[in-house]
Amino acid sequence: MSDTRSVLPYGSWPSPIEADDAARGDALLEWVGFLGDDVCWTEVLPEEDGRSGLMRRTAEGVEEVLPPGWDVRTRVIEYGGRPWLALSGRAADGLVFTHGPDQRLHRWRPGSDPVPLSPPGAWPGELRYADFAVHGDEIWCLRETVADDTARTARRHLVAIPLDGGAAEDPSRVRELAATHHFMTGPRIEPGGDRVAWLGWDHPDMPWDTTRLMVAAVLPDGTLGAPAVRMGGEGEAVTQADWATDGSGTLYAVSDPDGWWNVHAVDRDGGTRSLCPRPEEFGEALWRIGLRWCLPLLDGTLAVIHGVGERRLGILGADGALTDFDDPATEWHFAATDGRRIAAVASSPGRRRTVVLADPADGSVRTVRAPSSEGRSLPSDAPARDADGAAPYARTPAPDAYATTPYRRTYRGDDGEPVHVHVYPPHHPEFTGPGDELPPYLVLAHGGPTSRSHLVLNQEISYFTSRGIGVVDVQYGGSTGYGRAYRERLRHRWGLTDVQDCATAARGLIAEGLADPDRIAIRGGSAGGWTAVASIAAEPGLYRAAAVYYPVLDPASWREETHDFESRYLDGLIGPWPDTADRYAHQSPLREADRIRTPFVLLQGLDDTVCPPAQAERLLQRIDPDTVPYRCLTFEGEGHGFRRSATVAASLRAELRLYADALGFTPAAASSCSPS
């Protein structure tokens, strides 16, 4: 069959996916759970300054559970955690949640306004709560106490808060249960209430380095007995624990004593056994408190999320047999269960983030909240455009027909180590590039760096690929999803391994004849911003442009400027301070910043407590604007990771302008193509 598409230079294809569409096109769906029979989830609302609404589906469509204006979000460890919990299996009993602006714990009953359960802090946000469990007439949870809004100093306790609201005015009614470690997860209470489990770790470890699974008896007066370590320790990271539902006293733990996060059973006497030993991951790095990948069901089986470089949903039987759902989703997040069914956010290369309900009884997977076209119900008087001309509600998604088909690829570096990547080729159903021209490519370095990105339908990536710009998303050494050994490739080599692996990916595409060697750019945020700046300093002949979002750049100062959770992260990424101060100087992207000649755009939130604006400012102080063309865009009210659609859209437009100038193409006019 002949290709009837029109020929236009790469980068200049008209696309219906505008920056505003990409900014609000993929709803950020998180923290799924059950309220009675209803599946609920939190959804970031960019048109309301990034507020997180608690949503559910009714016969009339998707609606908010709480009265207008409530923000279901916790700032625990700055990256947040599970912010809400239904109080029982009955919807009439309501739920508890953390309210974003003041971080207080609230209770809500149907037909009434939420009321506070926890006392106010000395200032809004001093006391933060997450990862809840019900014990009698109390809520047990993690409480974080921070010294100021920088969160550089913090203390954490497991606490009990009465459900009658008495602690809202009387702080003495909050009972402190345990403080075994500097960092902890919330409590997991054994069915019957006899014991409680949690995870703990201390500086300088991160939760993917070393954690310990703690168990304590619940005494008759509601206090805890002496905690004991049941699993974990030096070089082993337990990333989740949950009790069996059958009253056997078995505790299921996702841990990596053999180098992979596998599911283990921890017996009452402390003995452990791996239930399904495989060279694949049944868990993730614990960046957010309360994440779960292993869910005990009432019939004695386990719902598990597992894979290598991707995640599938399966049922793990008592005999160790693992059976996956017959569903195309390759990523499952924020899983929850009512004991029979599993609700989660699912996505794949052909499907954007979707809330689904899976039923092991018949193997079905049903859509609860489809992508953006089935978002919140529109008010009858909703305007078609706001005062700035932007659509305040996503009435229809940009056509997914304009999304590319990504694929996985593994290249080999000069040292022979594998470098896993996701390749998103340029794609447009109506246009193709000239036969004698290769497309420009963006090298994407994800944040973390102990994290990964997902091979899924992504509107932000489609914004570029539908214009004729390819994207290669690099899972550089240190990324999760490929076992501890792959994570450890970055130990003490941050700024080296990641930079080399990104260059390996770019050169791999060039060697295959897929990318124009003279039109390679790099983009990244947070730790990816570090990698982007380090890359244009180390590889000035490879990269012709860079987009840098809220970066880490000066590791020596960042240790003192960032929040408590990551303040010792660099011990593993670079080395202990000050013993390895020479490495901090050598591996910093600022080391040769004065030699940078690559044009870049820098995008920074002014309320960022993870990578404060001072980090970006140190780079600009070393750049000669007469030698290096650059733009710096700052955004009031934005923290680490942009939440407002206007911010994301402005950033994408700035990127496209940079790439057009640096890579030599002329973008199509914004109005030249619109979705049908």
Side-chain angles (χ1 to χ4, degrees), residues 211-541:
T211 63
R212 289 172 171 82
L213 171 58
M214 311 300 296
V215 176
V218 180
L219 303 179
D221 63 356
T223 61
L224 301 187
V229 178
R230 285 291 180 250
M231 197 172 185
E234 191 63 34
E236 179 183 345
V238 186
T239 196
Q240 186 208 329
D242 264 295
W243 296 97
T245 60
D246 60 4
S248 64
T250 299
L251 184 58
Y252 296 113
V254 180
S255 192
D256 66 347
D258 299 318
W260 295 87
W261 275 313
N262 282 184
V263 181
H264 299 76
V266 183
D267 299 328
R268 192 175 282 273
D269 62 3
T272 63
R273 55 191 173 89
S274 182
L275 299 182
C276 187
R278 292 188 178 195
E280 59 181 272
E281 304 280 41
F282 287 73
E284 299 272 6
L286 193 61
W287 279 100
R288 303 176 79 179
I289 303 299
L291 289 171
R292 303 171 74 195
W293 305 272
C294 172
L295 308 175
L297 304 180
L298 291 173
D299 64 2
T301 62
L302 299 171
V304 293
I305 297 172
H306 68 102
V308 178
E310 65 175 17
R311 294 293 179 270
R312 301 278 182 176
L313 177 65
I315 300 297
L316 180 60
D319 59 356
L322 179 59
T323 304
D324 286 343
F325 279 79
D326 183 15
D327 186 86
T330 53
E331 296 290 348
W332 295 75
H333 316 275
F334 304 104
T337 184
D338 62 359
R340 299 178 294 107
R341 304 167 298 167
I342 305 101
V345 177
S347 54
S348 73
R351 180 169 65 183
R352 287 179 279 150
R353 289 185 292 259
T354 305
V355 178
V356 299
L357 182 63
D359 191 340
D362 58 13
S364 64
V365 178
R366 181 170 63 86
T367 296
V368 176
R369 196 284 195 207
S372 302
S373 59
E374 294 189 18
R376 292 190 305 153
S377 300
L378 292 179
S380 59
D381 59 349
R385 296 278 164 177
D386 62 18
D388 296 322
Y393 298 94
R395 294 180 179 273
T396 58
D400 288 346
Y402 290 82
T404 189
T405 301
Y407 59 91
R408 301 180 193 278
R409 187 77 168 85
T410 299
Y411 294 109
R412 293 280 172 178
D414 293 340
D415 56 3
E417 292 284 354
V419 180
H420 306 296
V421 306
H422 304 157
V423 182
Y424 294 80
H427 170 75
H428 195 297
E430 300 169 16
F431 295 96
T432 187
D436 60 351
E437 180 184 341
L438 291 173
Y441 255 84
L442 310 181
V443 176
L444 175 56
H446 65 69
T450 312
S451 183
R452 68 183 181 98
S453 45
H454 308 130
L455 188 74
V456 299
L457 193 69
N458 180 300
Q459 286 287 77
E460 194 168 300
I461 288 177
S462 294
Y463 175 75
F464 295 109
T465 58
S466 63
R467 286 169 166 76
I469 306 165
V471 176
V472 57
D473 193 354
V474 186
Q475 312 305 298
Y476 50 81
S479 300
T480 58
Y482 304 93
R484 181 179 278 263
Y486 197 78
R487 293 203 308 273
E488 294 289 330
R489 285 188 57 221
L490 201 62
R491 178 164 289 275
H492 297 167
R493 289 186 53 80
W494 193 33
L496 303 174
T497 295
D498 50 323
V499 170
Q500 293 166 4
D501 286 0
C502 285
T504 292
R507 292 192 170 101
L509 289 171
I510 293 168
E512 290 188 276
L514 300 175
D516 186 337
D518 295 324
R519 295 197 290 173
I520 304 293
I522 188 167
R523 70 190 302 256
S526 189
W530 157 290
T531 302
V533 175
S535 292
I536 60 176
E539 297 273 4

Side-chain angles (χ1 to χ4, degrees), residues 544-563:
R544 303 305 171 94
V548 182
Y549 284 75
Y550 34 83
V552 184
L553 294 172
D554 181 12
S557 66
W558 186 75
R559 296 178 65 260
E560 303 299 328
E561 293 173 348
T562 194
H563 62 139

Side-chain angles (χ1 to χ4, degrees), residues 82-88 93-98 104-108 115-118 129-143 157-165 167 173-177 186-187 189 196 222:
R82 184 164 288 277
W84 72 278
L85 177 74
L87 289 175
S88 73
D93 291 332
L95 56 89
V96 295
F97 69 96
T98 294
R104 294 176 74 181
L105 180 63
H106 289 72
R107 179 176 184 174
W108 171 80
V115 296
L117 297 183
S118 65
Y129 304 88
D131 207 10
F132 310 109
V134 178
H135 187 267
D137 57 0
E138 294 179 318
I139 290 294
W140 288 17
C141 63
L142 173 68
R143 182 188 68 192
H157 296 81
L158 299 186
V159 298
I161 300 174
L163 276 165
D164 65 9
R173 292 197 61 192
V174 177
R175 298 191 301 116
E176 293 183 356
L177 299 170
I189 301 172
V196 62

Side-chain angles (χ1 to χ4, degrees), residues 50-70:
R51 178 175 69 85
S52 287
L54 183 63
M55 321 300 287
R56 66 180 168 191
R57 175 170 287 284
T58 69
E60 288 72 38
V62 173
E63 66 175 20
E64 287 204 53
V65 176
L66 301 175
W70 291 92

